[in-house]
Amino acid sequence: ALYGRDITFDQFGKYNLLIRKVLEAVYMNCQERSDDSADFRALEEYLKRVWFSNGIYHHYGCEKFVPEFSKSFFINAVKSLSPDKLPLAEGETVENICDKIVPIMFDADILPMKVNKKHGEDLVCTSACNYYEGVTQKEVEDYYNAIKVNDGNEPLSHGLNTSVIKCSDGSVKERVWNIDGKYGAAIRKIVFWLDRALEFAENDKQHKVITTLIKYYETGDLSEFNKYCIEWVEDTDSLVDFINGFIEVYDDPLGMKGTWEGLVEYRDTEGTRRTKLISDNAQWFEDHSPVNRKFKKKIVNGVSANVICAAMLGGGEYPSTAIGINLPNADWIRARHGSKSVTISNIISAYNEASRGNGFDEEFVIDAETIRLIKKYGDICDIIHTDLHECLGHGSGQMLPGVDPDALKAYGNTIEEARADLFGLYYIADEKMLHLGLLPDENAYKAGYYTFMMNGLLTQLARIKEGRNIEEAHMRDRALIARWCYEKGKADNVVNLIKKENKTYLQINDYLRLRELFASLLTEIQRIKSEGDYEAARVLVETYAVDINQGLHREILTRYRSLNIPPYKGFINPVLYLEKDAAGNVIDVKADYSESYAAQMLRYSKVYATLI
Ligand code: ZN
């Protein structure tokens, strides 16, 4: 099998790798000296957050972490290190390193956001993510608009694997991430492991997938990436599969640059039986959805649906990981060759087990009856909604001919996620769920509706810092849906927010009317996507999905804090050992889960860091 190792890139900020290395050196040195000061403990927490987020910005909220240790403590700690513990470049001193990283870590005004999506600002200049150097948003957009003119009907994912830089003569150009370009040292390692994986390919198709991926990494040629995506989609037989490359574009304010991620997975056969049932009925779902007929696919192509177990996480999927993935991202490949969709069952069940009995439902759900409903049906609704979102939602609908797939620009990701969520919400309440045996009875979907609305209106605010807006695309999507339905249903009293002892609770009075509201919004969102209606997307997102009522936010934060639940969960990779028989043949792979978070991160830094 192929191992997805943690290869840490600096995509989330120019000095992220350097900061991580220096923090680790200070951390180990303080530990050796048994430092137990408050400053050290704060540095330890800060470092753990840097590990978690692959940098100094919150992985979801995008805001910069505020160090709770003093600047002087940090500078003294760095200066007391022996220089061989620091990644000093030629001719560089400890002072140089401090000059580089201390202002970025401690000055709240310098690069405060990883990804800034605030309308009207220069999103390139004000985002800290490390994809652009010396260029403005306008220069980047002009550059790509000029290239896109030549797009045929199999367009490349322009800019996916490049940095955009300003040359000394004032011109704008791209620096490719390939074996000889930027990140070459890390990409050579990836190619080395892919090469080793070739000898274990399950079948010819998978062999071809890996060969093409290697070629893409070597050349950086995006037409190779398209070929790879098509071959990867078409390999539906392999029991072991992987995602590997510069894939998701959420960490770029312009939604073009891919974050590196790696995931090795194997099939969950029982779960896959369930999603196969959904995808076998894909055409029925497409035909019966409430959207306008001209935006529907006449023939829904190859919606493959696999439930998988993650075996190893890397890059943007580690240690915080998605619970469902739908790829490839290029719309034309999805339309002509289909898409591959997975839900990651061992991750979902770990999340569910970890949250059982933490008091969350008791605090936020309106009454005992609804709590019972959620306890009974919550998990299965969650699973089916995710299946529908990933297997059908993202793959449904079609663009009108000639519409630019990037027409919605910074609002594109939010609209796309809302589309997939609404598709799932609409159908979990459909009789078809009972006919297919996916949900046990006609009340089950209510648990899914309640938790979705509660999350979108109230509880997801617990994951955002006081004073901030909603930034992340999935969170904006949930707020957009929940708040739009709340407002549109107000006259008919569909959904209420009521106060009991100064606490706000969600009350759903009419589940069937709520379903109709989901249907209307789905219809409108599909129209926006299909027509590339930027202005409508902007108004929807800016009206419903960004701002937060400060009083409500404070209330949710206070109630949530009282439960003492960590806001995010992440995963530690198992350490895998080969078990051999007396003759030296491999007979099994044993997974060891005893490595601690800090030990794993330090080990990865030591063994696999290639870029610093
Ligand atoms: Zn999605």
Side-chain angles (χ1 to χ4, degrees), residues 250 326 389-390 394 416-417 420 474:
Y250 304 108
N326 182 301
H389 174 120
E390 298 293 343
H394 281 303
E416 177 55 24
E417 290 310 320
H474 295 82

Side-chain angles (χ1 to χ4, degrees), residues 437-492:
L438 292 166
L439 288 177
D441 62 57
E442 70 282 354
N443 282 317
Y445 78 94
K446 292 178 183 169
Y449 276 22
Y450 192 90
T451 49
F452 187 93
M453 292 297 287
M454 178 176 76
N455 186 43
L457 288 171
L458 304 172
T459 46
Q460 75 167 350
L461 299 182
R463 297 158 64 186
I464 297 171
K465 275 191 113 169
E466 196 170 341
R468 304 276 172 183
N469 286 333
I470 309 176
E471 301 289 345
E472 197 274 334
H474 295 82
M475 294 179 86
R476 284 188 165 188
D477 131 45
R478 291 167 201 141
L480 167 62
I481 295 172
R483 291 169 175 185
W484 188 93
C485 292
Y486 170 70
E487 196 179 293
K488 301 292 171 188
K490 228 174 193 167
D492 297 334

